[in-house]
Amino acid sequence: MLATCIIQPIDMVKVRIQLGAKGSPLAVGAEIVRKDGVGALYKGLSAGLLRQATYTTTRLGIFNMMSEELKARNNGQNLPLWQKAVAGLSAGGIGALVGSPADLTLIRMQADATLPVEQRRNYKGVADAFIRIVKEDGVGGLFRGAAPTVVRAMSLNMGMLASNDQAKEAIEAAGFPKGGTVSVLGGATIAGFIASAFSLPFDFIKTRLQKMTPNPDGTMPYKGPIDCALQTLKNEGPLKFYTGFPTYCIRIAPHVVFTLVFMDALPKVQKNFGL
């Protein structure tokens, strides 16, 4: 949640670029501030914090539990990369399913200003968004786009958590202190880039599905994630999936770094208070 408070404005710019905003990330951010004020950069923060409290709590907790269990079965030795990848995939998928409703409300709140005035949802906050989505679309509406959300999270977590552990072990094997600043920051930085590259295509599809509104005839633009991927590939080409990659990387990589650094620091802080 601390990482999200720092990164939220970059996330807003990333979503706007994926939804068609033109110009550099700085130009898009400046346009948002010019039209709607600085507060618009934090649109959807309540949903973003709820998403982290559900999704990230679940994925990091499950990954740590699985890693400890696998290490115990491996006689305390470092895990091979494939076991870390499996733990990351599993934790990401379960966490994303838990956090999918909050993720949906976050995307809708961030994308609202890009819609025509008559189509805007104008949610008052995350609670209002939840209530209206359930009222208008049923409980299942909270899980629209859940499939690509889960797949995106699995790819991101595999890239983030497995590469972070692997990178830290490599850095420590090179002679740097275990758990030191170099290994923590170095591992987190490498993990941030790899997580970005692995997950952006799935994030692109997820964003399009969660933002879509019905066509004039009442049908939806995409039937599902595969249809969205195929239409995008056919009509716009494979590089479209990496729209906004620099912004996405600038958004994901620091978020990963802050998250992993805070995750390493919080237990130390807790110990100071006897927890």
Side-chain angles (χ1 to χ4, degrees):
M1 293 171 78
L2 287 169
T4 293
C5 288
I6 297 170
I7 300 300
Q8 181 72 9
I10 301 175
D11 191 47
M12 169 63 81
V13 172
K14 182 268 297 183
V15 169
R16 290 290 181 87
I17 289 174
Q18 287 184 330
L19 296 178
K22 303 299 182 183
S24 69
L26 287 176
V28 173
E31 180 65 12
I32 293 171
V33 172
R34 187 186 68 79
K35 289 179 63 178
D36 303 310
V38 176
L41 292 172
Y42 286 88
K43 184 81 172 178
L45 179 61
S46 58
L49 293 175
L50 178 61
R51 178 177 180 269
Q52 297 305 321
T54 52
Y55 161 60
T56 296
T57 296
T58 303
R59 67 182 174 128
L60 295 182
I62 290 176
F63 180 80
N64 287 339
M65 289 171 61
M66 290 184 68
S67 295
E68 291 303 316
E69 177 63 25
L70 289 169
K71 281 184 181 179
R73 297 187 181 191
N74 200 30
N75 298 318
Q77 301 298 311
N78 289 332
L79 300 177
L81 182 59
W82 73 269
Q83 288 189 357
K84 295 171 188 171
V86 169
L89 284 168
S90 303
I94 297 170
L97 197 58
V98 172
S100 187
D103 190 59
L104 173 68
T105 60
L106 171 63
I107 293 295
R108 286 193 175 183
M109 291 171 75
Q110 289 180 325
D112 211 35
T114 67
L115 297 172
V117 175
E118 66 276 7
Q119 293 183 16
R120 293 181 185 177
R121 299 177 174 97
N122 296 314
Y123 296 134
K124 298 174 184 176
V126 65
D128 179 52
F130 268 86
I131 292 169
R132 285 178 53 190
I133 290 170
V134 171
K135 186 181 296 183
E136 295 166 8
D137 303 320
V139 175
L142 291 171
F143 291 90
R144 176 176 289 174
T149 298
V150 169
V151 174
R152 178 253 190 193
M154 291 173 72
S155 63
L156 188 148
N157 278 273
M158 182 182 70
M160 168 186 171
L161 298 174
S163 64
N164 177 59
D165 276 8
Q166 194 73 17
K168 284 199 297 185
E169 290 169 9
I171 292 170
E172 290 162 2
F176 291 94
K178 185 174 182 179
T181 302
V182 174
S183 67
V184 172
L185 281 176
T189 302
I190 292 169
F193 180 81
I194 293 176
S196 302
F198 268 62
S199 63
L200 178 55
F202 304 105
D203 184 79
F204 179 85
I205 293 170
K206 173 185 75 72
T207 299
R208 282 201 164 181
L209 286 175
Q210 291 181 325
K211 181 258 181 183
M212 66 179 177
T213 55
N215 294 319
D217 61 1
T219 61
M220 300 303 288
Y222 307 112
K223 298 175 183 177
I226 295 177
D227 181 51
C228 178
L230 291 176
Q231 283 197 48
T232 302
L233 184 64
K234 178 182 177 181
N235 299 327
E236 302 172 85
L239 292 181
K240 187 65 178 179
F241 293 110
Y242 280 90
T243 297
F245 178 73
T247 305
Y248 184 77
C249 191
I250 291 171
R251 178 258 182 261
I252 291 293
H255 194 280
V256 168
V257 171
F258 284 126
T259 298
L260 294 173
V261 169
F262 288 142
M263 187 174 71
D264 180 76
L266 283 173
K268 299 173 183 176
V269 174
Q270 289 175 324
K271 285 182 179 178
N272 293 334
F273 291 93
L275 299 175

